[in-house]
Amino acid sequence: MKTPIMRPARRRRGRGRAEEAGPAQIQHRPHEPAAALSILGLAEGATPAQINAAYKRLIKKFHSDAGGTDGLAVLLNEARAVLLGGKAA
């Protein structure tokens, strides 16, 4: 009986999303609602449900575990906090 060959686990690399348009292109922190809306890609008057849906969609795409950076995750978190008044649902 042959013993199985032990191979090292493969490392996942980033998915090459840095060139996509989105939060990666934004260099400032969202202190105003207009900036936070543009980061999340929302129009003025967005509801909390729309804000959370946009946040979840973008955090899945730009989180450091999915090929993004910690800075992008922080940017998205700050944008959501500005729009929801510090309350994350």
Side-chain angles (χ1 to χ4, degrees):
M1 174 188 228
K2 287 186 177 181
T3 58
I5 298 172
M6 299 299 289
R7 294 186 178 141
R10 290 185 181 175
R11 290 182 58 195
R12 286 179 52 183
R13 294 185 180 194
R15 297 183 183 159
R17 294 185 174 146
E19 64 275 356
E20 289 185 22
Q25 306 299 320
I26 300 169
Q27 301 296 325
H28 62 279
R29 295 286 183 227
H31 297 292
E32 298 178 5
L37 286 169
S38 70
I39 289 169
L40 294 177
L42 297 171
E44 191 172 335
T47 65
Q50 292 171 326
I51 293 167
N52 284 324
Y55 168 79
K56 288 177 185 178
R57 177 178 46 84
L58 291 170
I59 201 71
K60 284 180 186 176
K61 192 174 185 179
F62 292 107
H63 192 271
S64 60
D65 291 341
T69 64
D70 290 335
L72 292 176
V74 168
L75 186 68
L76 292 171
N77 287 332
E78 289 177 359
R80 182 175 65 160
V82 166
L83 292 173
L84 295 178
K87 300 180 224 169

